[in-house]
Amino acid sequence: HYTMIDRATDERWQDVDMERYADEVDVAIVGGGPAGLAAAIRLMQNAEREGAEIRVCVIEKGAEIGSHTLSGAVIEPGPLLDLFPDAIERGAPLKTPVTQDKFSILSKNSWLDIPELLIPMKNHGNYIV
């Protein structure tokens, strides 16, 4: 960690040429996960509706936008359709509706199915993507 070993004296950094990047934006959003992207999209939609020009920057520490997002491969379509009412026409992958929920506790050699009454999540109305 850079607070324990100064980069100026750490041999691992001697051939690394780092340049600080500076830019001017109206809004900087830290995190390229679902919430950060939704915030950026909504800000741009509102600005366009009001005829305003704004510059929004999404800063993500991962190699790609959303690369730290965990996915259960199930999407609730409501928030997506709020942001993009024409998402289905644009090709959003909402083709396979969830038909049932099943949770099991797994061990090395067997499993125990959890009764539906005790399942913490209900995916009715969601889609497998």
mmCIF file of all heavy atoms in Angstrom, residues 81-124:
data_model
loop_
_atom_site.group_PDB
_atom_site.id
_atom_site.type_symbol
_atom_site.label_atom_id
_atom_site.label_comp_id
_atom_site.label_asym_id
_atom_site.label_seq_id
_atom_site.Cartn_x
_atom_site.Cartn_y
_atom_site.Cartn_z
ATOM 1 N N LEU A 81 -37.101 0.013 -17.533
ATOM 2 C CA LEU A 81 -38.169 0.601 -18.347
ATOM 3 C C LEU A 81 -38.480 2.037 -17.921
ATOM 4 O O LEU A 81 -38.952 2.838 -18.737
ATOM 5 C CB LEU A 81 -39.417 -0.272 -18.298
ATOM 6 C CG LEU A 81 -39.230 -1.668 -18.911
ATOM 7 C CD1 LEU A 81 -40.464 -2.533 -18.665
ATOM 8 C CD2 LEU A 81 -38.905 -1.588 -20.384
ATOM 9 N N ASP A 82 -38.203 2.386 -16.659
ATOM 10 C CA ASP A 82 -38.337 3.790 -16.233
ATOM 11 C C ASP A 82 -37.322 4.669 -16.955
ATOM 12 O O ASP A 82 -37.630 5.775 -17.372
ATOM 13 C CB ASP A 82 -38.130 3.931 -14.721
ATOM 14 C CG ASP A 82 -39.326 3.446 -13.917
ATOM 15 O OD1 ASP A 82 -40.412 3.246 -14.507
ATOM 16 O OD2 ASP A 82 -39.168 3.262 -12.696
ATOM 17 N N LEU A 83 -36.093 4.164 -17.079
ATOM 18 C CA LEU A 83 -35.037 4.933 -17.756
ATOM 19 C C LEU A 83 -35.220 4.932 -19.270
ATOM 20 O O LEU A 83 -35.007 5.939 -19.930
ATOM 21 C CB LEU A 83 -33.657 4.352 -17.423
ATOM 22 C CG LEU A 83 -33.125 4.645 -16.033
ATOM 23 C CD1 LEU A 83 -31.847 3.857 -15.783
ATOM 24 C CD2 LEU A 83 -32.883 6.133 -15.836
ATOM 25 N N PHE A 84 -35.576 3.776 -19.805
ATOM 26 C CA PHE A 84 -35.730 3.614 -21.253
ATOM 27 C C PHE A 84 -37.070 2.946 -21.539
ATOM 28 O O PHE A 84 -37.142 1.721 -21.631
ATOM 29 C CB PHE A 84 -34.602 2.753 -21.836
ATOM 30 C CG PHE A 84 -33.231 3.310 -21.625
ATOM 31 C CD1 PHE A 84 -32.370 2.744 -20.702
ATOM 32 C CD2 PHE A 84 -32.789 4.397 -22.363
ATOM 33 C CE1 PHE A 84 -31.097 3.248 -20.504
ATOM 34 C CE2 PHE A 84 -31.525 4.913 -22.177
ATOM 35 C CZ PHE A 84 -30.673 4.340 -21.242
ATOM 36 N N PRO A 85 -38.148 3.730 -21.677
ATOM 37 C CA PRO A 85 -39.463 3.120 -21.927
ATOM 38 C C PRO A 85 -39.488 2.230 -23.163
ATOM 39 O O PRO A 85 -40.281 1.302 -23.242
ATOM 40 C CB PRO A 85 -40.376 4.333 -22.099
ATOM 41 C CG PRO A 85 -39.698 5.429 -21.343
ATOM 42 C CD PRO A 85 -38.224 5.173 -21.518
ATOM 43 N N ASP A 86 -38.601 2.478 -24.114
ATOM 44 C CA ASP A 86 -38.549 1.671 -25.338
ATOM 45 C C ASP A 86 -37.447 0.609 -25.290
ATOM 46 O O ASP A 86 -36.987 0.141 -26.321
ATOM 47 C CB ASP A 86 -38.357 2.578 -26.556
ATOM 48 C CG ASP A 86 -37.046 3.360 -26.501
ATOM 49 O OD1 ASP A 86 -36.421 3.440 -25.414
ATOM 50 O OD2 ASP A 86 -36.634 3.877 -27.549
ATOM 51 N N ALA A 87 -37.055 0.203 -24.085
ATOM 52 C CA ALA A 87 -35.944 -0.738 -23.937
ATOM 53 C C ALA A 87 -36.186 -2.048 -24.674
ATOM 54 O O ALA A 87 -35.272 -2.606 -25.289
ATOM 55 C CB ALA A 87 -35.669 -1.020 -22.458
ATOM 56 N N ILE A 88 -37.401 -2.552 -24.637
ATOM 57 C CA ILE A 88 -37.696 -3.830 -25.299
ATOM 58 C C ILE A 88 -37.552 -3.672 -26.809
ATOM 59 O O ILE A 88 -36.939 -4.508 -27.476
ATOM 60 C CB ILE A 88 -39.084 -4.350 -24.897
ATOM 61 C CG1 ILE A 88 -39.057 -4.697 -23.407
ATOM 62 C CG2 ILE A 88 -39.484 -5.561 -25.728
ATOM 63 C CD1 ILE A 88 -40.396 -5.032 -22.809
ATOM 64 N N GLU A 89 -38.075 -2.566 -27.351
ATOM 65 C CA GLU A 89 -37.944 -2.313 -28.789
ATOM 66 C C GLU A 89 -36.477 -2.118 -29.190
ATOM 67 O O GLU A 89 -36.090 -2.410 -30.314
ATOM 68 C CB GLU A 89 -38.748 -1.076 -29.210
ATOM 69 C CG GLU A 89 -40.254 -1.239 -29.106
ATOM 70 C CD GLU A 89 -40.780 -1.057 -27.686
ATOM 71 O OE1 GLU A 89 -40.144 -0.361 -26.864
ATOM 72 O OE2 GLU A 89 -41.841 -1.643 -27.393
ATOM 73 N N ARG A 90 -35.661 -1.630 -28.255
ATOM 74 C CA ARG A 90 -34.238 -1.416 -28.540
ATOM 75 C C ARG A 90 -33.421 -2.713 -28.431
ATOM 76 O O ARG A 90 -32.230 -2.715 -28.685
ATOM 77 C CB ARG A 90 -33.659 -0.396 -27.563
ATOM 78 C CG ARG A 90 -34.199 0.991 -27.745
ATOM 79 C CD ARG A 90 -33.734 1.863 -26.613
ATOM 80 N NE ARG A 90 -33.052 3.024 -27.127
ATOM 81 C CZ ARG A 90 -32.399 3.887 -26.373
ATOM 82 N NH1 ARG A 90 -32.324 3.706 -25.071
ATOM 83 N NH2 ARG A 90 -31.822 4.929 -26.910
ATOM 84 N N GLY A 91 -34.063 -3.780 -28.000
ATOM 85 C CA GLY A 91 -33.372 -5.070 -27.948
ATOM 86 C C GLY A 91 -32.918 -5.509 -26.566
ATOM 87 O O GLY A 91 -32.064 -6.386 -26.455
ATOM 88 N N ALA A 92 -33.483 -4.918 -25.494
ATOM 89 C CA ALA A 92 -33.122 -5.375 -24.143
ATOM 90 C C ALA A 92 -33.428 -6.866 -24.040
ATOM 91 O O ALA A 92 -34.445 -7.338 -24.548
ATOM 92 C CB ALA A 92 -33.915 -4.595 -23.099
ATOM 93 N N PRO A 93 -32.555 -7.624 -23.387
ATOM 94 C CA PRO A 93 -32.710 -9.087 -23.361
ATOM 95 C C PRO A 93 -33.766 -9.575 -22.375
ATOM 96 O O PRO A 93 -33.509 -10.427 -21.538
ATOM 97 C CB PRO A 93 -31.312 -9.557 -22.963
ATOM 98 C CG PRO A 93 -30.799 -8.454 -22.091
ATOM 99 C CD PRO A 93 -31.348 -7.184 -22.689
ATOM 100 N N LEU A 94 -34.979 -9.038 -22.467
ATOM 101 C CA LEU A 94 -36.072 -9.449 -21.575
ATOM 102 C C LEU A 94 -36.947 -10.453 -22.311
ATOM 103 O O LEU A 94 -38.054 -10.153 -22.730
ATOM 104 C CB LEU A 94 -36.879 -8.225 -21.133
ATOM 105 C CG LEU A 94 -36.096 -7.115 -20.444
ATOM 106 C CD1 LEU A 94 -37.008 -5.951 -20.099
ATOM 107 C CD2 LEU A 94 -35.398 -7.636 -19.200
ATOM 108 N N LYS A 95 -36.440 -11.663 -22.469
ATOM 109 C CA LYS A 95 -37.133 -12.672 -23.268
ATOM 110 C C LYS A 95 -37.578 -13.885 -22.450
ATOM 111 O O LYS A 95 -38.480 -14.590 -22.836
ATOM 112 C CB LYS A 95 -36.231 -13.117 -24.416
ATOM 113 C CG LYS A 95 -35.873 -11.964 -25.350
ATOM 114 C CD LYS A 95 -35.085 -12.437 -26.530
ATOM 115 C CE LYS A 95 -34.639 -11.391 -27.498
ATOM 116 N NZ LYS A 95 -34.992 -10.041 -27.339
ATOM 117 N N THR A 96 -36.929 -14.114 -21.301
ATOM 118 C CA THR A 96 -37.225 -15.311 -20.523
ATOM 119 C C THR A 96 -37.735 -14.929 -19.140
ATOM 120 O O THR A 96 -36.957 -14.599 -18.250
ATOM 121 C CB THR A 96 -35.958 -16.192 -20.380
ATOM 122 O OG1 THR A 96 -35.400 -16.416 -21.670
ATOM 123 C CG2 THR A 96 -36.281 -17.510 -19.725
ATOM 124 N N PRO A 97 -39.057 -14.933 -18.930
ATOM 125 C CA PRO A 97 -39.584 -14.583 -17.603
ATOM 126 C C PRO A 97 -39.259 -15.670 -16.581
ATOM 127 O O PRO A 97 -39.187 -16.859 -16.910
ATOM 128 C CB PRO A 97 -41.085 -14.470 -17.823
ATOM 129 C CG PRO A 97 -41.371 -15.198 -19.076
ATOM 130 C CD PRO A 97 -40.116 -15.223 -19.890
ATOM 131 N N VAL A 98 -39.075 -15.262 -15.347
ATOM 132 C CA VAL A 98 -38.862 -16.211 -14.254
ATOM 133 C C VAL A 98 -40.178 -16.954 -14.031
ATOM 134 O O VAL A 98 -41.235 -16.335 -13.934
ATOM 135 C CB VAL A 98 -38.436 -15.475 -12.961
ATOM 136 C CG1 VAL A 98 -38.387 -16.446 -11.783
ATOM 137 C CG2 VAL A 98 -37.088 -14.798 -13.148
ATOM 138 N N THR A 99 -40.104 -18.273 -13.966
ATOM 139 C CA THR A 99 -41.325 -19.069 -13.763
ATOM 140 C C THR A 99 -41.408 -19.657 -12.360
ATOM 141 O O THR A 99 -42.482 -20.033 -11.912
ATOM 142 C CB THR A 99 -41.413 -20.212 -14.795
ATOM 143 O OG1 THR A 99 -40.241 -21.035 -14.678
ATOM 144 C CG2 THR A 99 -41.524 -19.657 -16.206
ATOM 145 N N GLN A 100 -40.279 -19.754 -11.666
ATOM 146 C CA GLN A 100 -40.311 -20.248 -10.295
ATOM 147 C C GLN A 100 -39.017 -19.865 -9.585
ATOM 148 O O GLN A 100 -38.002 -19.581 -10.223
ATOM 149 C CB GLN A 100 -40.502 -21.763 -10.238
ATOM 150 C CG GLN A 100 -39.247 -22.565 -10.590
ATOM 151 C CD GLN A 100 -39.466 -24.057 -10.507
ATOM 152 O OE1 GLN A 100 -40.072 -24.613 -11.387
ATOM 153 N NE2 GLN A 100 -38.979 -24.690 -9.454
ATOM 154 N N ASP A 101 -39.082 -19.812 -8.257
ATOM 155 C CA ASP A 101 -37.908 -19.599 -7.424
ATOM 156 C C ASP A 101 -37.610 -20.893 -6.690
ATOM 157 O O ASP A 101 -38.517 -21.563 -6.212
ATOM 158 C CB ASP A 101 -38.164 -18.503 -6.378
ATOM 159 C CG ASP A 101 -38.213 -17.122 -6.984
ATOM 160 O OD1 ASP A 101 -37.275 -16.773 -7.713
ATOM 161 O OD2 ASP A 101 -39.192 -16.392 -6.723
ATOM 162 N N LYS A 102 -36.332 -21.234 -6.612
ATOM 163 C CA LYS A 102 -35.941 -22.427 -5.873
ATOM 164 C C LYS A 102 -34.614 -22.137 -5.191
ATOM 165 O O LYS A 102 -33.659 -21.725 -5.834
ATOM 166 C CB LYS A 102 -35.809 -23.630 -6.801
ATOM 167 C CG LYS A 102 -35.477 -24.903 -6.069
ATOM 168 C CD LYS A 102 -35.548 -26.116 -6.965
ATOM 169 C CE LYS A 102 -35.249 -27.360 -6.164
ATOM 170 N NZ LYS A 102 -35.413 -28.569 -6.934
ATOM 171 N N PHE A 103 -34.588 -22.318 -3.878
ATOM 172 C CA PHE A 103 -33.384 -22.127 -3.098
ATOM 173 C C PHE A 103 -33.051 -23.430 -2.398
ATOM 174 O O PHE A 103 -33.945 -24.119 -1.904
ATOM 175 C CB PHE A 103 -33.575 -21.026 -2.047
ATOM 176 C CG PHE A 103 -33.504 -19.646 -2.625
ATOM 177 C CD1 PHE A 103 -34.574 -19.124 -3.327
ATOM 178 C CD2 PHE A 103 -32.374 -18.874 -2.464
ATOM 179 C CE1 PHE A 103 -34.525 -17.861 -3.858
ATOM 180 C CE2 PHE A 103 -32.307 -17.599 -2.994
ATOM 181 C CZ PHE A 103 -33.389 -17.083 -3.691
ATOM 182 N N SER A 104 -31.762 -23.734 -2.349
ATOM 183 C CA SER A 104 -31.307 -24.947 -1.679
ATOM 184 C C SER A 104 -30.063 -24.638 -0.868
ATOM 185 O O SER A 104 -29.279 -23.759 -1.211
ATOM 186 C CB SER A 104 -30.962 -26.042 -2.696
ATOM 187 O OG SER A 104 -32.074 -26.356 -3.500
ATOM 188 N N ILE A 105 -29.893 -25.366 0.211
ATOM 189 C CA ILE A 105 -28.652 -25.323 0.982
ATOM 190 C C ILE A 105 -27.823 -26.510 0.514
ATOM 191 O O ILE A 105 -28.295 -27.645 0.534
ATOM 192 C CB ILE A 105 -28.928 -25.406 2.495
ATOM 193 C CG1 ILE A 105 -29.737 -24.188 2.936
ATOM 194 C CG2 ILE A 105 -27.619 -25.503 3.267
ATOM 195 C CD1 ILE A 105 -30.181 -24.239 4.381
ATOM 196 N N LEU A 106 -26.613 -26.217 0.066
ATOM 197 C CA LEU A 106 -25.764 -27.263 -0.488
ATOM 198 C C LEU A 106 -24.696 -27.669 0.513
ATOM 199 O O LEU A 106 -24.133 -26.832 1.215
ATOM 200 C CB LEU A 106 -25.089 -26.758 -1.764
ATOM 201 C CG LEU A 106 -26.014 -26.226 -2.854
ATOM 202 C CD1 LEU A 106 -25.195 -25.671 -4.009
ATOM 203 C CD2 LEU A 106 -26.962 -27.301 -3.322
ATOM 204 N N SER A 107 -24.422 -28.965 0.558
ATOM 205 C CA SER A 107 -23.291 -29.475 1.334
ATOM 206 C C SER A 107 -22.387 -30.224 0.358
ATOM 207 O O SER A 107 -22.658 -30.266 -0.845
ATOM 208 C CB SER A 107 -23.766 -30.395 2.460
ATOM 209 O OG SER A 107 -24.247 -31.616 1.916
ATOM 210 N N LYS A 108 -21.358 -30.823 0.872
ATOM 211 C CA LYS A 108 -20.419 -31.530 0.007
ATOM 212 C C LYS A 108 -21.093 -32.675 -0.746
ATOM 213 O O LYS A 108 -20.799 -32.931 -1.907
ATOM 214 C CB LYS A 108 -19.250 -32.064 0.834
ATOM 215 C CG LYS A 108 -18.173 -32.721 0.028
ATOM 216 C CD LYS A 108 -17.005 -33.123 0.909
ATOM 217 C CE LYS A 108 -15.920 -33.758 0.072
ATOM 218 N NZ LYS A 108 -14.767 -34.137 0.892
ATOM 219 N N ASN A 109 -22.039 -33.357 -0.096
ATOM 220 C CA ASN A 109 -22.622 -34.553 -0.690
ATOM 221 C C ASN A 109 -24.120 -34.498 -0.957
ATOM 222 O O ASN A 109 -24.677 -35.438 -1.513
ATOM 223 C CB ASN A 109 -22.338 -35.768 0.207
ATOM 224 C CG ASN A 109 -20.857 -36.011 0.357
ATOM 225 O OD1 ASN A 109 -20.116 -35.976 -0.610
ATOM 226 N ND2 ASN A 109 -20.414 -36.224 1.590
ATOM 227 N N SER A 110 -24.797 -33.426 -0.529
ATOM 228 C CA SER A 110 -26.243 -33.404 -0.715
ATOM 229 C C SER A 110 -26.760 -31.963 -0.720
ATOM 230 O O SER A 110 -25.990 -31.019 -0.704
ATOM 231 C CB SER A 110 -26.932 -34.217 0.381
ATOM 232 O OG SER A 110 -26.736 -33.605 1.633
ATOM 233 N N TRP A 111 -28.084 -31.833 -0.697
ATOM 234 C CA TRP A 111 -28.724 -30.527 -0.659
ATOM 235 C C TRP A 111 -30.036 -30.621 0.097
ATOM 236 O O TRP A 111 -30.589 -31.708 0.266
ATOM 237 C CB TRP A 111 -28.945 -29.969 -2.062
ATOM 238 C CG TRP A 111 -30.030 -30.682 -2.832
ATOM 239 C CD1 TRP A 111 -31.358 -30.365 -2.851
ATOM 240 C CD2 TRP A 111 -29.885 -31.828 -3.650
ATOM 241 N NE1 TRP A 111 -32.052 -31.246 -3.649
ATOM 242 C CE2 TRP A 111 -31.163 -32.168 -4.164
ATOM 243 C CE3 TRP A 111 -28.809 -32.625 -4.024
ATOM 244 C CZ2 TRP A 111 -31.374 -33.232 -5.004
ATOM 245 C CZ3 TRP A 111 -29.023 -33.695 -4.870
ATOM 246 C CH2 TRP A 111 -30.295 -33.983 -5.350
ATOM 247 N N LEU A 112 -30.497 -29.458 0.556
ATOM 248 C CA LEU A 112 -31.767 -29.371 1.252
ATOM 249 C C LEU A 112 -32.535 -28.228 0.615
ATOM 250 O O LEU A 112 -32.089 -27.085 0.631
ATOM 251 C CB LEU A 112 -31.550 -29.089 2.746
ATOM 252 C CG LEU A 112 -32.799 -28.819 3.575
ATOM 253 C CD1 LEU A 112 -33.676 -30.068 3.650
ATOM 254 C CD2 LEU A 112 -32.412 -28.347 4.964
ATOM 255 N N ASP A 113 -33.695 -28.545 0.009
ATOM 256 C CA ASP A 113 -34.520 -27.513 -0.607
ATOM 257 C C ASP A 113 -35.214 -26.695 0.483
ATOM 258 O O ASP A 113 -35.722 -27.251 1.453
ATOM 259 C CB ASP A 113 -35.568 -28.123 -1.536
ATOM 260 C CG ASP A 113 -34.944 -28.705 -2.800
ATOM 261 O OD1 ASP A 113 -33.864 -28.229 -3.190
ATOM 262 O OD2 ASP A 113 -35.543 -29.620 -3.392
ATOM 263 N N ILE A 114 -35.232 -25.375 0.299
ATOM 264 C CA ILE A 114 -35.890 -24.465 1.231
ATOM 265 C C ILE A 114 -37.345 -24.309 0.793
ATOM 266 O O ILE A 114 -37.603 -24.051 -0.380
ATOM 267 C CB ILE A 114 -35.194 -23.082 1.230
ATOM 268 C CG1 ILE A 114 -33.702 -23.230 1.523
ATOM 269 C CG2 ILE A 114 -35.868 -22.122 2.200
ATOM 270 C CD1 ILE A 114 -33.379 -23.818 2.869
ATOM 271 N N PRO A 115 -38.305 -24.438 1.722
ATOM 272 C CA PRO A 115 -39.717 -24.256 1.345
ATOM 273 C C PRO A 115 -39.954 -22.839 0.795
ATOM 274 O O PRO A 115 -39.360 -21.868 1.261
ATOM 275 C CB PRO A 115 -40.477 -24.460 2.660
ATOM 276 C CG PRO A 115 -39.530 -25.196 3.547
ATOM 277 C CD PRO A 115 -38.153 -24.811 3.124
ATOM 278 N N GLU A 116 -40.840 -22.737 -0.181
ATOM 279 C CA GLU A 116 -41.100 -21.454 -0.847
ATOM 280 C C GLU A 116 -41.516 -20.369 0.139
ATOM 281 O O GLU A 116 -41.183 -19.202 -0.033
ATOM 282 C CB GLU A 116 -42.169 -21.623 -1.923
ATOM 283 C CG GLU A 116 -42.307 -20.404 -2.788
ATOM 284 C CD GLU A 116 -43.194 -20.654 -3.994
ATOM 285 O OE1 GLU A 116 -43.361 -21.816 -4.401
ATOM 286 O OE2 GLU A 116 -43.713 -19.660 -4.515
ATOM 287 N N LEU A 117 -42.197 -20.731 1.174
ATOM 288 C CA LEU A 117 -42.641 -19.778 2.182
ATOM 289 C C LEU A 117 -41.465 -19.050 2.833
ATOM 290 O O LEU A 117 -41.578 -17.897 3.241
ATOM 291 C CB LEU A 117 -43.465 -20.518 3.255
ATOM 292 C CG LEU A 117 -43.986 -19.699 4.425
ATOM 293 C CD1 LEU A 117 -45.018 -18.697 3.917
ATOM 294 C CD2 LEU A 117 -44.605 -20.608 5.471
ATOM 295 N N LEU A 118 -40.309 -19.706 2.909
ATOM 296 C CA LEU A 118 -39.136 -19.137 3.575
ATOM 297 C C LEU A 118 -38.138 -18.488 2.616
ATOM 298 O O LEU A 118 -37.124 -17.969 3.051
ATOM 299 C CB LEU A 118 -38.419 -20.230 4.379
ATOM 300 C CG LEU A 118 -39.263 -20.908 5.456
ATOM 301 C CD1 LEU A 118 -38.484 -22.040 6.107
ATOM 302 C CD2 LEU A 118 -39.723 -19.903 6.497
ATOM 303 N N ILE A 119 -38.420 -18.518 1.325
ATOM 304 C CA ILE A 119 -37.489 -17.951 0.354
ATOM 305 C C ILE A 119 -37.492 -16.430 0.500
ATOM 306 O O ILE A 119 -38.550 -15.799 0.445
ATOM 307 C CB ILE A 119 -37.869 -18.373 -1.082
ATOM 308 C CG1 ILE A 119 -37.664 -19.885 -1.236
ATOM 309 C CG2 ILE A 119 -37.028 -17.610 -2.105
ATOM 310 C CD1 ILE A 119 -38.095 -20.422 -2.581
ATOM 311 N N PRO A 120 -36.317 -15.825 0.688
ATOM 312 C CA PRO A 120 -36.245 -14.393 0.952
ATOM 313 C C PRO A 120 -36.541 -13.510 -0.262
ATOM 314 O O PRO A 120 -36.932 -12.366 -0.104
ATOM 315 C CB PRO A 120 -34.807 -14.186 1.420
ATOM 316 C CG PRO A 120 -34.055 -15.310 0.797
ATOM 317 C CD PRO A 120 -35.012 -16.462 0.731
ATOM 318 N N MET A 121 -36.359 -14.010 -1.459
ATOM 319 C CA MET A 121 -36.579 -13.201 -2.655
ATOM 320 C C MET A 121 -37.663 -13.823 -3.510
ATOM 321 O O MET A 121 -37.750 -15.040 -3.627
ATOM 322 C CB MET A 121 -35.294 -13.098 -3.482
ATOM 323 C CG MET A 121 -34.161 -12.415 -2.763
ATOM 324 S SD MET A 121 -32.700 -12.237 -3.788
ATOM 325 C CE MET A 121 -32.231 -13.933 -4.053
ATOM 326 N N LYS A 122 -38.469 -12.986 -4.093
ATOM 327 C CA LYS A 122 -39.488 -13.439 -5.038
ATOM 328 C C LYS A 122 -39.174 -12.781 -6.379
ATOM 329 O O LYS A 122 -39.071 -11.569 -6.473
ATOM 330 C CB LYS A 122 -40.884 -13.031 -4.579
ATOM 331 C CG LYS A 122 -41.240 -13.495 -3.177
ATOM 332 C CD LYS A 122 -41.423 -14.989 -3.121
ATOM 333 C CE LYS A 122 -41.928 -15.389 -1.744
ATOM 334 N NZ LYS A 122 -41.354 -16.582 -1.231
ATOM 335 N N ASN A 123 -38.999 -13.565 -7.407
ATOM 336 C CA ASN A 123 -38.616 -13.052 -8.709
ATOM 337 C C ASN A 123 -39.760 -13.004 -9.717
ATOM 338 O O ASN A 123 -39.537 -12.825 -10.911
ATOM 339 C CB ASN A 123 -37.456 -13.862 -9.289
ATOM 340 C CG ASN A 123 -36.167 -13.526 -8.597
ATOM 341 O OD1 ASN A 123 -35.749 -12.368 -8.593
ATOM 342 N ND2 ASN A 123 -35.533 -14.508 -7.976
ATOM 343 N N HIS A 124 -40.996 -13.164 -9.228
ATOM 344 C CA HIS A 124 -42.163 -13.074 -10.123
ATOM 345 C C HIS A 124 -42.145 -11.712 -10.816
ATOM 346 O O HIS A 124 -42.002 -10.675 -10.182
ATOM 347 C CB HIS A 124 -43.452 -13.257 -9.317
ATOM 348 C CG HIS A 124 -44.683 -13.083 -10.143
ATOM 349 N ND1 HIS A 124 -45.122 -14.056 -11.009
ATOM 350 C CD2 HIS A 124 -45.552 -12.059 -10.261
ATOM 351 C CE1 HIS A 124 -46.225 -13.625 -11.626
ATOM 352 N NE2 HIS A 124 -46.495 -12.405 -11.179
#
